[in-house]
């Protein structure tokens, strides 16, 4: 499959891996928007959040708990962090393999301003 994240998960494309288990792989985003910017990616190919089903509850919970643990490992659990899942065109999803952005290490505005992070 011609999916960049599948290729990283299969070890066919290089990435700065941080964590891996039977369900997820975590690596640094290649174009970080914050000092800490990691991607928590399910090992199984799912196009987006829209493809997630009831049977994937455990996977989604695991993605979030993994992000929590990695945030602690990165030393940002107390300063704060944000989890983002872009879904579809209007959200700016550019890689169609479900992933959760873990961003932090700086103050982040909310609500987002138009054009922010793009
Ligand atoms: P999204 O726009 O939510 O689909 O996010 C996709 C993210 O994947 C972007 O932040 C990209 O910088 C990142 N990305 C794309 N290709 C790679 C890659 N080969 N290694 C690491 N991160 C990547």
């Amino acid at each position: 499959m011609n999916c960049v994240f599948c290729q990283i998960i299969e070890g066919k494309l290089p990435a700065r891996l941080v964590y891996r288990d039977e369900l997820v792989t975590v690596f640094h985003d290649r174009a970080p928007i914050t000092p800490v910017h990691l991607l928590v990616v399910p090992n199984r190919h799912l196009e987006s959040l829209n493809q997630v089903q009831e049977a994937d509850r455990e996977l989604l919970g695991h993605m979030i708990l993994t992000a929590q643990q990695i945030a602690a490992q990165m030393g940002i659990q107390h300063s704060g962090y944000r989890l983002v899942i872009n879904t579809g065109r209007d959200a700016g999803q550019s890689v169609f393999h479900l992933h959760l952005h873990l961003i932090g290490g700086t103050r982040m505005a909310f609500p987002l301003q138009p054009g922010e992070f793009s």
Side-chain angles (χ1 to χ4, degrees), residues 9-29:
I9 290 159
E10 290 164 15
K12 293 177 182 160
L13 251 190
R16 291 172 59 207
L17 295 188
V18 168
Y19 175 79
R20 184 181 170 83
D21 63 25
E22 71 282 1
L23 290 178
V24 297
T25 299
V26 182
F27 50 90
H28 287 270
D29 196 293

Side-chain angles (χ1 to χ4, degrees), residues 4-5 8 13-15 27-33 37 39 84-87 91-97 99 101:
V4 67
F5 287 176
I8 288 172
L13 251 190
F27 50 90
H28 287 270
D29 196 293
R30 72 168 177 194
I33 59 169
H37 186 175
L39 301 172
V84 177
I85 300 178
N86 293 323
T87 306
Q93 184 177 2
S94 61
V95 175
F96 285 83
H97 180 135
H99 53 280
H101 296 256

Side-chain angles (χ1 to χ4, degrees), residues 32-87:
I33 59 169
T34 46
V36 176
H37 186 175
L38 300 165
L39 301 172
V40 181
V41 183
N43 295 336
R44 180 162 60 90
H45 184 87
L46 288 161
E47 216 170 83
S48 79
L49 198 56
N50 287 333
Q51 272 204 338
V52 168
Q53 298 180 335
E54 193 62 34
D56 299 314
R57 272 177 183 275
E58 187 189 338
L59 173 64
L60 281 195
H62 186 68
M63 287 171 67
I64 292 172
L65 283 174
T66 300
Q68 179 213 59
Q69 286 158 15
I70 302 290
Q73 193 178 310
M74 293 288 152
I76 57 170
Q77 78 272 42
H78 299 306
S79 53
Y81 54 92
R82 184 174 292 164
L83 306 183
V84 177
I85 300 178
N86 293 323
T87 306

